[in-house]
Amino acid sequence: MRSSSRRWKASSARGGGFVGVHSAADTEYDWPWYGQLVGAYFRNHPEGLQFSRVQPERDGKPVGTFWPVRDELYNYRSNPRGTVQVIATVDERMYRGGTMGSDHPIAWCHAFDGGRSWYTGLGHDTAVYRNRDFQAHLRQGLLYAAGRSSEC
């Protein structure tokens, strides 16, 4: 294990927080601990930036209003539902190239190894960072990972 890997693992075990954005799921394939920290590994993505809608959820049910997004939409090697708390999905009916079907998580969180982990698959395109819904999404993730909110 690399020295930096030990520091990451030690920090999380002491109650540290992790926020992963977009390509955080597309690295460290030979490090199982990291894969568990993130919650799922990247498989592939449809070509280009595509439109969909993000549906926030709690306890497996839609909450609030969906919001539109144009971004690079990841497909994951496995659906993380069941091992993490899914907090948002995307609608594959609105774009081409999705491979996860009617349940396509795009953001989730979970307690992990003494700390907190939060991940969003959004964030490839710089324009999405101007989207107020995405900004609120990131803000809540940071609050959760920092231990400032119990809700992710």
Side-chain angles (χ1 to χ4, degrees), residues 8-20 33 36-39 84-85 108-119 139-152:
W8 267 90
K9 190 171 180 179
S11 173
S12 176
R14 289 192 314 266
F18 171 83
V19 171
W33 183 90
Q36 292 169 5
L37 171 71
V38 174
V84 299
Q85 179 184 339
W108 52 81
C109 67
H110 62 125
F112 181 74
D113 202 11
R116 294 169 172 223
S117 175
W118 185 91
Y119 171 80
R139 186 177 311 110
Q140 190 59 41
L142 289 166
L143 290 170
Y144 172 77
R148 305 273 179 161
S149 174
S150 60
E151 186 176 303
C152 60

Side-chain angles (χ1 to χ4, degrees), residues 21-23 69-72 120-126 128-129 134 138:
V21 176
H22 193 61
S23 64
V69 68
R70 179 179 181 265
D71 206 352
E72 184 179 75
T120 182
L122 302 171
H124 174 79
D125 188 43
T126 56
V128 78
Y129 291 87
F134 182 68
L138 281 177

Side-chain angles (χ1 to χ4, degrees), residues 55-63 81:
Q55 177 61 63
E57 73 170 62
R58 290 282 178 258
D59 301 320
K61 296 182 168 82
V63 295
R81 191 181 297 276

Side-chain angles (χ1 to χ4, degrees), residues 10-105:
S11 173
S12 176
R14 289 192 314 266
F18 171 83
V19 171
V21 176
H22 193 61
S23 64
D26 188 19
T27 187
E28 302 293 351
Y29 292 106
D30 61 346
W31 188 15
W33 183 90
Y34 181 81
Q36 292 169 5
L37 171 71
V38 174
Y41 279 117
F42 165 85
R43 170 183 239 150
N44 60 30
H45 60 77
E47 189 171 330
L49 303 176
Q50 296 197 42
F51 285 97
S52 187
R53 64 181 180 192
V54 176
Q55 177 61 63
E57 73 170 62
R58 290 282 178 258
D59 301 320
K61 296 182 168 82
V63 295
T65 310
F66 68 82
W67 42 279
V69 68
R70 179 179 181 265
D71 206 352
E72 184 179 75
L73 302 171
Y74 275 9
N75 296 310
Y76 299 94
R77 291 183 179 184
S78 62
N79 187 321
R81 191 181 297 276
T83 60
V84 299
Q85 179 184 339
V86 174
I87 57 173
T89 58
V90 290
D91 188 343
E92 285 191 6
R93 296 173 298 179
M94 298 184 72
Y95 67 97
R96 290 185 304 197
T99 63
M100 298 188 67
S102 61
D103 181 23
H104 188 140

